[in-house]
Amino acid sequence: MKRRRAAVVAAMLGLASSVVAPTATAQQPGPAWGPCPADVKTETVALECATIPVPLNYSDPGGEQIELMVSRLASKNPAKRRGVLMLNPGGPGGSGLAFPDFLASRGMPTSVLDSYDVIGMDTRGIGHSSPVSCGFTPDQDYLGNIPPYAVDEAAVAEQAESAKRIAEQCAAHDDGRFRHLSTANMARDLDSVRAALGEEKTSYLGYSYGSALGSAYASMFPERSDRIVVDSNLADTHLDRDALRRYALGFEQTFPDFAKWVAARHDVYGLGRTPEEVRETYFRTAERLDAAPVNGVDGRVFRLATFAGLYAEVSYGSTAQTWQSVQGEGEAPQPAAAPAPDTDNLWSVFLGVTCNDVDWPSDVGTYQRAVAEDRERYPMYGAASANIFPCAFWGDPAEPPVAIDDQGPANVLVLQNRRDPVTPHRNAEILDEKFGDRSRLVSVEGSGHGVYLLGDNACAFNTTTDFLVGGQLPEENTDCR
């Protein structure tokens, strides 16, 4: 079951004024571009890669340096090229080196590809950029960016013991770099990369956690930010406890789309003829699996698999098959589980950044009360997203979280689906309110995690492309239906 859970989880995915990254200078040599490592798989375009040194600790810029690996999809139209567009696919913990190729394969318009050198990156600690490790193994019971569902107070206490062991395991494997994993330092890294590329400004496109990183960059370096697009938003420059608890809100808001899809296919899946019946099947199955797991799937894994299955409609069929596989004897066979991935680096970075960005409560009772409250408020998943996290035992952040700066240029486009299981629409409303006149919110009447190039809404696609190429924000917040 542990390997199966790891595979399911993997399917999901400051003090700015006191530390300043370098400005571009004529004396700085440019990066030495060459072939990307063999494990950077591309399907559509050929990328080139380079390494760029940055300080481990920006408070000591002349001290120890680490290397970041970046990739480039260069503009083929020098007459139209206007700069660089940096990307982030989310996480924290997701490798971004192949991301320019992925977005090109999703139809990134030629007008955008002509306008920019598109820059991917393994942010610090990830992949080819000085990777860190907590020493996680595939058979460990807890690996993921969301705690397991807690059926009662005792389950929260049990999870607290697991979370504490994980925090201690990461501390035991720390070679001095974990403390410097933070969104603030990753934003400083973006500015160091900008300087190394010889650019006065940089544009940016980031998804999910990438929205927090882009918001931090636009706040720490407002005059060096060009056109900033943040998609599927965390509501701030970091993931905190409130945003984690709102996963449950996203689940409740997005599940009806899945339930409607499944109900329309009752003759195939047999999980309910109406959305209401599908919802009842969810609760009945989860409670039964809490008492007696089937095929290695318990109630925690079943709820998590359903949560992950809401990320995109393309996952609805496989999620329905998973439901079938645990309904009982004579039902459809369980689909083969994907091989358990190497999650050590991914989850190590996720925990390092998330726990270093902001202080988390350490009292177990605080989480027990929150679980009881959210189990009533959001019965489908509230008792998971309110559960205790390793950050409760991590230690104090190195610096305060980056505060949103609403005094910079009006150059932030906020994209958000109305129904998103992990970053609900309320997150984007909060972020847009914090940026004030600097931002415009584009709300999409759609479902799933990801808007630009990941969804199929023409209004959002055109609005975002026009902004990246032409630079004009919408005059007011926009509803794309």
Side-chain angles (χ1 to χ4, degrees):
M1 186 185 76
K2 294 177 181 179
R3 286 184 174 273
R4 181 172 182 79
R5 185 175 192 278
V8 170
V9 174
M12 287 178 49
L13 221 203
L15 296 176
S17 60
S18 66
V19 184
V20 179
T23 58
T25 66
Q27 289 74 31
Q28 281 185 302
W33 297 103
C36 293
D39 62 348
V40 180
K41 305 296 184 182
T42 60
E43 298 180 1
T44 304
V45 295
L47 303 177
E48 49 190 351
C49 286
T51 57
I52 295 174
V54 300
L56 172 65
N57 180 359
Y58 277 91
S59 296
D60 182 20
E64 182 180 352
Q65 304 287 297
I66 59 175
E67 287 194 333
L68 305 180
M69 182 169 286
V70 300
S71 62
R72 180 175 69 171
L73 174 56
S75 167
K76 294 180 173 58
N77 194 330
K80 293 185 177 180
R81 182 191 181 279
R82 64 178 318 277
V84 296
L85 175 65
M86 295 188 188
L87 307 177
N88 187 277
S95 172
L97 288 175
F99 204 45
D101 170 75
F102 173 77
L103 293 185
S105 74
R106 299 287 299 190
M108 179 171 271
T110 300
S111 57
V112 176
L113 297 176
D114 284 347
S115 298
Y116 298 98
D117 290 349
V118 182
I119 305 297
M121 183 188 308
D122 278 356
T123 50
R124 64 169 54 205
I126 297 168
H128 293 276
S129 294
S130 188
V132 298
S133 169
C134 287
F136 293 135
T137 59
D139 61 346
Q140 284 192 259
D141 185 43
Y142 175 80
L143 290 176
N145 61 356
I146 187 167
Y149 188 92
V151 295
D152 52 26
E153 284 194 356
V156 179
E158 181 181 354
Q159 169 58 20
E161 293 299 318
S162 174
K164 184 177 181 181
R165 288 193 298 271
I166 288 168
E168 291 172 345
Q169 180 175 341
C170 290
H173 283 79
D174 184 12
D175 60 2
R177 288 177 292 156
F178 263 104
R179 188 162 181 78
H180 302 289
L181 288 177
S182 68
T183 299
N185 278 337
M186 288 180 175
R188 294 171 182 128
D189 290 343
L190 292 182
D191 207 56
S192 293
V193 172
R194 173 205 58 77
L197 296 175
E199 302 288 335
E200 293 184 2
K201 295 184 177 184
T202 183
S203 294
Y204 178 88
L205 169 61
Y207 297 81
S208 195
Y209 166 77
S211 71
L213 180 56
S215 297
Y217 186 81
S219 297
M220 296 173 68
F221 306 101
E223 300 307 321
R224 299 180 199 166
S225 64
D226 190 7
R227 299 168 186 176
I228 307 297
V229 180
V230 288
D231 189 324
S232 304
N233 297 272
L234 290 186
D236 212 317
T237 62
H238 51 273
L239 175 64
D240 60 14
R241 183 165 169 258
D242 288 341
L244 182 61
R245 290 177 72 176
R246 283 195 294 271
Y247 286 13
L249 170 63
F251 192 122
E252 295 280 354
Q253 292 177 336
T254 309
F255 183 83
D257 292 328
F258 169 73
K260 181 179 179 181
W261 188 95
V262 171
R265 295 159 177 80
H266 176 75
D267 290 346
V268 175
Y269 296 113
L271 299 172
R273 297 183 182 278
T274 67
E276 293 75 18
E277 289 183 0
V278 174
R279 182 180 172 94
E280 291 172 2
T281 299
Y282 171 83
F283 286 116
R284 185 173 59 252
T285 303
E287 291 170 4
R288 176 168 51 80
L289 294 174
D290 286 336
V294 175
N295 294 329
V297 177
D298 63 11
R300 300 185 311 167
V301 174
F302 172 76
R303 293 180 179 94
L304 178 63
T306 303
F307 175 75
L310 301 181
Y311 272 51
E313 185 176 322
V314 69
S315 301
Y316 287 1
S318 60
T319 304
Q321 285 182 317
T322 297
W323 282 35
Q324 281 185 307
S325 72
V326 295
Q327 292 310 306
E329 188 176 351
E331 297 291 344
Q334 179 181 356
D342 178 8
T343 55
D344 176 36
N345 185 220
L346 191 160
W347 302 133
S348 298
V349 174
F350 177 85
L351 289 173
V353 175
T354 303
C355 302
N356 286 337
D357 272 355
V358 65
D359 197 21
W360 291 67
S362 58
D363 175 55
V364 176
T366 297
Y367 295 91
Q368 289 173 323
R369 291 187 292 273
V371 164
E373 178 182 331
D374 284 8
R375 186 186 294 111
E376 295 298 321
R377 183 167 55 167
Y378 305 121
M380 303 198 81
Y381 212 47
S385 59
N387 202 357
I388 196 165
F389 208 53
C391 295
F393 307 99
W394 198 263
D396 296 331
E399 59 180 304
V402 178
I404 296 290
D405 180 6
D406 63 357
Q407 299 300 309
N411 65 344
V412 181
L413 188 67
V414 182
L415 306 178
Q416 187 67 52
N417 281 325
R418 288 281 182 187
R419 299 176 301 283
D420 183 318
V422 61
T423 57
H425 189 265
R426 180 58 187 147
N427 285 11
E429 294 175 340
I430 294 170
L431 185 65
D432 182 53
E433 291 164 4
K434 289 178 179 179
F435 269 119
D437 291 338
R438 289 195 66 186
S439 66
R440 298 291 185 274
L441 170 60
V442 176
S443 301
V444 177
E445 187 58 40
S447 182
H449 193 52
V451 175
Y452 187 59
L453 302 172
L454 303 183
D456 61 358
N457 186 280
C459 165
F461 177 84
N462 293 336
T463 300
T464 307
T465 301
D466 289 346
F467 172 62
L468 288 172
V469 176
Q472 294 300 313
L473 285 175
E475 292 186 2
E476 56 188 7
N477 288 351
T478 302
D479 278 316
C480 284
R481 298 191 178 273

